[in-house]
Amino acid sequence: APDRGATATPPPPREIWLTLLGEMVQMVNEALRRRASCARDASKPLSLEYMADRLDVDDPLLGYLAVSREDGWLQGFVTCTTFTTWHADFRWDSLSPAVELATDHGESQGRTPRVDEDGSLADELQAQLHAGDPDNEGVVWPRIAELSLLGALGCGRWLVQLVIDVLESSSEPPYEYLVAQATDNSIPFYERMGFVRVGAVTVTRRKKERVAEVEAEE
């Protein structure tokens, strides 16, 4: 990113992030337009509602803005928080039949996928401390960080690496793992950075009720 004339700002407070939402949406749409011009499939951009919700709810909120050195135009953004889920039955599980980790995301073009084939990474994640109320503050996983928002015009890798470097620079790193909910088109990007596909599943309340009915009948 420095070669592209961009620099990162110090982590902005939540209020600043919220005032930048309009500009962030415009930048994400521009990034998608550029990618769509050279890619067969294009994912949907991050919506204003989704970004506003993450910036309002994520706690803690760590993030950086990439801006051009000359005029200060927004070139990218990234945010990170403690992984939290509001599903009571959420679990990490790469071996579940409901998980399709081996779906082709570019392997047919010669790229080797990074997949949690034996489920060991999912087991490690599931074994991490987690507690909380899914109906209120959520179930918090204090040793797992999540990349919650990422948008960039050619500096995404630099921004993600910046977050990784900051998280690892502490004498006592607060997190042991960093996860991201990747879209289909972004999976190759994350895997090139060393991320591994891992499964996560949750059972809906309706499905639980159906299972209970079947067990009751048996």
Side-chain angles (χ1 to χ4, degrees):
D3 294 336
R4 296 176 180 269
T7 185
T9 67
R14 192 181 304 272
E15 311 81 67
I16 298 298
W17 280 108
L18 293 172
T19 64
L20 291 171
L21 269 171
E23 189 174 354
M24 291 165 66
V25 170
Q26 293 179 354
M27 195 226 71
V28 166
N29 288 332
E30 173 60 19
L32 182 64
R33 185 191 66 79
R34 295 185 186 183
R35 189 165 64 247
S37 66
C38 59
R40 215 172 26 171
D41 301 312
S43 58
K44 294 181 180 180
L46 293 172
S47 68
L48 173 64
E49 293 77 13
Y50 179 78
M51 289 193 286
D53 184 62
R54 295 304 307 244
L55 294 176
D56 182 54
V57 173
D58 285 358
D59 185 26
L61 178 64
L62 169 67
Y64 296 92
L65 298 167
V67 298
S68 58
R69 288 194 177 93
E70 291 186 0
D71 48 27
W73 286 105
L74 183 65
Q75 300 296 302
F77 58 85
V78 63
T79 63
C80 178
T81 189
T82 300
F83 181 76
T84 304
T85 178
W86 281 265
H87 296 282
D89 299 295
F90 173 92
R91 74 177 188 277
W92 301 99
D93 186 354
S94 296
L95 303 182
S96 168
V99 176
E100 299 179 352
L101 295 181
T103 301
D104 191 319
H105 294 284
E107 295 77 18
S108 58
Q109 301 177 9
R111 189 179 59 81
T112 302
R114 298 175 61 90
V115 179
D116 180 31
E117 294 181 349
D118 62 0
S120 58
L121 179 55
D123 290 343
E124 290 179 22
L125 291 168
Q126 187 61 34
Q128 295 301 304
L129 173 68
H130 55 283
D133 184 350
D135 294 323
N136 290 292
E137 76 279 3
V139 179
V140 180
W141 302 66
R143 301 296 289 169
I144 302 177
E146 177 191 5
L147 280 174
S148 48
L149 295 176
L150 174 64
L153 298 173
C155 57
R157 183 183 181 91
W158 177 58
L159 285 169
V160 173
Q161 190 60 54
L162 175 61
V163 169
I164 293 173
D165 292 343
V166 169
L167 293 180
E168 292 181 340
S169 64
S170 172
S171 57
E172 295 184 6
Y175 302 107
E176 293 186 23
Y177 301 89
L178 176 62
V179 300
Q181 298 183 52
T183 62
D184 287 350
N185 285 343
S186 67
I187 286 176
F189 165 81
Y190 284 109
E191 290 188 352
R192 284 193 294 269
M193 296 204 66
F195 285 77
V196 177
R197 298 182 210 178
V198 62
V201 298
T202 184
V203 179
T204 63
R205 182 170 299 176
R206 183 176 179 183
K207 187 171 182 179
K208 284 184 66 179
E209 291 173 351
R210 287 183 58 192
V211 171
E213 289 175 1
V214 171
E215 290 177 345
E217 291 174 358
E218 294 176 346

